[in-house]
Amino acid sequence: MMNQTQVLKPQNLNIIQSAKKKAIFLDLDGTFWDRQVVPESAWRAVNQARENGHLIFVNTGRPAHFIPQFLWDAKLDGYCLAAGMDLYAKDQHLVSFYVKPELTKKMIQYLEENGFGYALETAKGIYETQQYANLHEKYFRSTGREVKGDRHPMSEFSEELYSYVLKISFNSETEKTLREPAAEIGFDILEYRHRFNPEGDDSDLYRGELTWDAHTKANAMETVLSAMNLDRDQYVIVAIGDAENDIPMLEAADFAICMGHANEEVQAVSDFKTTLCENQGIWNAFELLQVL
């Protein structure tokens, strides 16, 4: 049941019973918060774990300009943003990795030739085609949400900005072949839930995002520890997530925790399933981790 915790791989519990401190990497949407509403129990868990000497990191696909100020103000130990492309220690920038311009151009060519709308998420804002903007606004309107972000038309995108691309979002009114061509060019793909897949929602659009496969939420964990000059051997790396785009991160961690609504594919790579975000999911996870 969604409202119960479950040990999925009992044989791995010894990993978290070591005397080492934990470096805990939290996905945001569906994990730490629900539409930026963080349960009080999650804040208590994070603060108590940090007081006990453990490290807390955000590990999200969101770029920096989609991180609300209150989360920066919390000065967590680190922030791995844009699916591992942009790394911070507390609120201090460490390093950014940008998609190679030639890869972005190849991906754009394929998207245009096959009728996709797309948006380039850069360190300097989001640049979107008119088709992408129209479909994106239509979807958000249907869900009662407001389109946010520093958004610009593609007509304002300059050659210089190709050096600052973090990821590419796409949409289409029909499902089209994308996974294999994206992989050939060098991109991982996250397909958002829609009516074309088994876990579809109310969206009539084929939607998702493309990230450079050289830098991911998985290798961001090791990279940020190294950039902060922390001894990796002194920590047990724990990843907590809820969706398919968290699978590489969960697989790369020493110990993986999924949220109560995670599907079977996500559970299969996790050691423990906690409760829902709003039902003390983070608190229950931290309790198992013995960091409280």
Side-chain angles (χ1 to χ4, degrees), residues 57-106:
F57 298 85
V58 161
N59 198 357
T60 179
R62 288 179 176 237
H65 54 85
F66 274 144
I67 301 299
Q69 189 58 46
F70 75 82
L71 197 56
W72 289 116
D73 291 342
K75 287 186 169 57
L76 301 180
D77 294 286
Y79 300 79
C80 304
L81 308 180
M85 301 287 281
D86 203 16
L87 307 181
Y88 295 76
K90 292 187 169 59
D91 58 352
Q92 300 300 308
H93 183 250
L94 290 173
V95 62
S96 292
F97 304 100
Y98 300 113
V99 183
K100 291 180 178 179
E102 59 267 29
L103 298 183
T104 298
K105 291 177 180 180
K106 284 182 182 179

Side-chain angles (χ1 to χ4, degrees), residues 264-282:
E264 291 184 3
E265 187 178 2
V266 178
Q267 290 185 47
V269 298
S270 300
D271 301 296
F272 178 73
K273 182 175 76 170
T274 186
T275 48
L276 297 173
C277 168
E278 64 272 22
N279 189 24
Q280 298 199 114
I282 296 300

Side-chain angles (χ1 to χ4, degrees), residues 249-261:
M249 172 179 78
L250 296 169
E251 289 179 324
D254 299 323
F255 194 85
I257 297 176
C258 64
M259 303 305 290
H261 61 279

Side-chain angles (χ1 to χ4, degrees), residues 9 17 43 49 60 81 84 97 103 129 138 145-146 157 163 174 178 202 208 287:
K9 298 175 184 175
Q17 291 166 353
W43 278 126
T60 179
L81 308 180
F97 304 100
L103 298 183
T129 64
K138 174 184 174 183
R145 289 185 284 163
E146 179 185 354
F157 192 84
S163 298
T174 58
L178 188 55
D202 57 356
E287 201 165 48

